[in-house]
Amino acid sequence: MFDGLKDKLGKFKSDVETEAEADADAATEDSSDVDTAEPTPEDGEPSASDDEDGPGLAKKAALAATGRTVITEEELEKPLEQLELELLSGDVEMGVASEITDRIREQLVGDTRKQVESGEQVVERAIADALREVIGVGQFDFEARIDGAKKPVVIVFTGVNGVGKTTSIAKLSRWLEARGYSSVMANGDTYRAGANEQIEEHAEALGTKIITHEQGGDPAAVIYDAVEYADANGVDVVLGDTAGRLHTSNDLMAQLEKIDRVVDPDMTLFVDEAVAGQDATNRAREFNDAAEIDGAVLTKADADSQGGAAISIAHVTGKPILFLGTGQGYDDLERFDPDEIVDRLLREE
Ligand SMILES: Nc1nc2c(ncn2[C@@H]2O[C@H](COP(=O)(O)OP(=O)(O)OP(=O)(O)O)[C@@H](O)[C@H]2O)c(=O)[nH]1
Ligand SMILES: [Mg+2]
């Protein structure tokens, strides 16, 4: 999963190592006659060997002799620049790429490494911390939110056509059922021919109640009916589908705004596919502007994607990715866990 990103991060790790080692070697050769007993200048004044770029070679040698060394900003510059370019080419949004590299720089520059912890571990920790900060934006406990909310909890799904909204609704119905919550689906996609039949098939396979109106009907009215059904029948969650395409994208946004106004959902989840990369990130921003989202579902994480959308969407919208779609089956839905994603991205195989 997200192999493009994984490769790029791995390359950065080894780039920094190579730079740091080359400099450390130079330092040891250059300063065999320096007193290596004291790693830092006693009086806090810059030592004679310090230059504008940070600790001088003599000081690095001194630190190395005591089992400690520092990574300088200079050593990091090239690999960081390279990483930023690689992230951009891997569909990471520009602001997110510089946020990641800034955080890594901040954490690594001047970091005093102990020999017990290899340089690689220090670099890996810096990357992990930076990624976790960026992709963990806004995370909340989805199940706890469902549990604590007044029933029925109304969730509306938005996103462009073909990204996996309807499939994700079906998967979430299964996910909720497994945790003891009943649900009703509402087909707010009254635009596309065949939309009713498609969602009805899912409902039948899952044994979930489905509310539909005729094609061309008012989507807000369908979801509203489902809320009334849920109210009357003690159903916990309403899962409202929406059209992915109307005559124009302005019509689509206006329709979503109307649903938002009329139904006033407890949560709006934006759905997009990992394979759409930067486009998915841009759409997340656009949809969030039209009908504020509470979180995102990133589908097709099983298909070969760079991973840029997975690490950009939360930072760009301020709303977390809550679920990953990992296949076409009803059970192919995972909670998006930032720690787990970071582990996967940095794990060596
Ligand atoms: N591999 C894979 N395929 C998926 C995933 N989620 C959805 N799909 C497939 O993507 C296709 C489109 O899914 P839909 O759920 O119909 O997409 P939609 O957003 O409802 O599309 P519209 O109703 O046209 O707007 C289907 O063939 C799904 O099986 C996923 O996580 N992984
Ligand atoms: Mg659909």
Side-chain angles (χ1 to χ4, degrees):
M1 195 182 285
F2 311 141
D3 286 344
L5 201 56
K6 197 175 155 97
D7 291 349
K8 292 169 201 311
L9 294 168
K11 183 167 178 301
F12 172 73
K13 251 191 321 191
S14 60
D15 282 357
V16 175
E17 274 308 286
T18 313
E19 288 279 334
E21 269 161 23
D23 276 23
D25 288 350
T28 333
E29 276 164 28
D30 270 36
S31 48
S32 40
D33 58 353
V34 191
D35 171 17
T36 56
E38 182 54 55
T40 48
E42 276 162 347
D43 56 6
E45 290 291 314
S47 84
S49 58
D50 275 6
D51 55 30
E52 307 92 74
D53 296 322
L57 292 178
K59 182 170 166 195
K60 284 181 73 82
L63 285 165
T66 59
R68 287 139 63 98
T69 180
V70 288
I71 302 172
T72 66
E73 192 151 5
E74 197 187 30
E75 286 159 1
L76 270 181
E77 200 180 320
K78 250 197 290 169
L80 273 177
E81 213 171 88
Q82 191 58 34
L83 176 65
E84 191 161 356
L85 289 175
E86 296 265 13
L87 290 175
L88 292 175
S89 78
D91 274 338
V92 174
E93 202 263 350
M94 201 185 290
V96 176
S98 46
E99 176 78 22
I100 291 172
T101 50
D102 285 352
R103 282 180 180 276
I104 294 177
R105 181 184 295 108
E106 211 171 279
Q107 187 161 336
L108 283 183
V109 168
D111 193 5
T112 305
R113 292 186 283 173
K114 295 194 180 70
Q115 249 167 12
V116 287
E117 191 176 30
S118 78
E120 202 173 328
Q121 281 169 323
V122 173
V123 177
E124 186 166 313
R125 199 182 55 212
I127 301 172
D129 289 350
L131 284 175
R132 216 176 283 120
E133 287 291 329
V134 167
I135 69 176
V137 172
Q139 273 296 333
F140 60 85
D141 185 336
F142 180 80
E143 192 179 342
R145 177 138 344 158
I146 299 281
D147 192 46
K150 187 173 163 291
K151 308 292 181 305
V153 184
V154 182
I155 309 178
V156 167
F157 294 74
T158 64
V160 299
N161 64 299
V163 291
K165 291 181 298 302
T166 307
T167 311
S168 297
I169 286 173
K171 289 175 181 178
L172 199 63
S173 170
R174 161 73 59 91
W175 191 92
L176 288 165
E177 192 193 359
R179 287 158 184 78
Y181 303 99
S182 55
S183 61
V184 52
M185 304 187 203
N187 184 27
D189 181 358
T190 55
Y191 181 75
R192 186 168 61 76
N196 277 346
E197 290 72 15
Q198 187 196 1
I199 199 167
E200 275 161 0
E201 238 172 72
H202 288 308
E204 197 171 315
L206 291 162
T208 307
K209 172 77 182 171
I210 169 81
I211 305 286
T212 60
H213 284 191
E214 297 212 329
Q215 199 186 345
D218 178 2
V222 188
I223 302 174
Y224 195 87
D225 275 3
V227 177
E228 297 217 306
Y229 174 89
D231 246 337
N233 294 278
V235 174
D236 299 317
V237 183
V238 174
L239 301 168
D241 204 353
T242 62
R245 178 166 44 197
L246 291 185
H247 305 277
T248 71
S249 104
N250 282 346
D251 290 342
L252 179 62
M253 295 303 165
Q255 181 169 96
L256 296 177
E257 281 168 37
K258 184 179 173 195
I259 294 175
D260 215 23
R261 250 187 351 263
V262 175
V263 180
D264 190 21
D266 296 286
M267 276 191 243
T268 299
L269 298 186
F270 167 76
V271 183
D272 216 312
E273 49 187 17
V275 283
Q278 177 77 44
D279 286 342
T281 307
N282 293 340
R283 291 193 290 247
R285 190 189 275 123
E286 198 189 341
F287 276 74
N288 189 34
D289 289 344
E292 196 183 346
I293 67 171
D294 295 278
V297 179
L298 194 64
T299 62
K300 308 185 192 179
D302 52 308
D304 187 26
S305 75
Q306 292 275 349
I311 64 165
S312 302
I313 285 177
H315 190 264
V316 164
T317 59
K319 307 297 163 49
I321 296 178
L322 294 169
F323 289 98
L324 282 181
T326 55
Q328 297 192 299
Y330 292 131
D331 291 319
D332 297 330
L333 186 72
E334 284 180 21
R335 266 290 276 138
F336 182 89
D337 175 352
D339 290 337
E340 161 104 35
I341 298 290
V342 170
D343 281 352
R344 271 190 212 166
L345 286 171
L346 297 177
R347 194 182 303 147
E348 292 186 18
E349 255 117 54

